[in-house]
Amino acid sequence: MAEHIPVTVAYGDGIGPEIMEATVRILKEAGARISIESIEVGKRAYEQGHSSGIPSRAWESIKRNKILLKA
């Protein structure tokens, strides 16, 4: 069996978290061999002092995995 592909997942703001939970569940049920690495971006990150709304830890995950799924 092939190894799991790392995917950076940003749950987003507003209704994003609910949409992303459903999306991840569908992908897993469909047999997608992915491993999820969650990041926080958006309003909460902005309020924590990241003017772009994207902390450096999130950028590192995106660069490392090269795949971003965002709701």
Side-chain angles (χ1 to χ4, degrees):
M1 183 177 232
E3 68 180 70
H4 285 65
I5 297 169
V7 176
T8 301
V9 172
Y11 283 77
D13 299 319
I15 64 169
E18 292 87 2
I19 292 170
M20 187 56 71
E21 284 179 27
T23 301
V24 169
R25 187 173 61 246
I26 290 166
L27 289 170
K28 297 258 180 174
E29 289 293 322
R33 292 185 299 263
I34 58 174
S35 61
I36 303 297
E37 184 175 329
S38 296
I39 60 170
E40 187 166 318
V41 298
K43 184 180 177 186
R44 273 188 261 164
Y46 177 80
E47 290 172 343
Q48 292 173 354
H50 304 282
S51 61
S52 68
I54 305 174
S56 59
R57 179 195 164 292
W59 281 120
E60 291 166 9
S61 176
I62 294 166
K63 289 176 185 175
R64 180 177 51 257
N65 295 330
K66 297 181 178 45
I67 300 173
L68 172 64
L69 183 60
K70 185 191 177 300

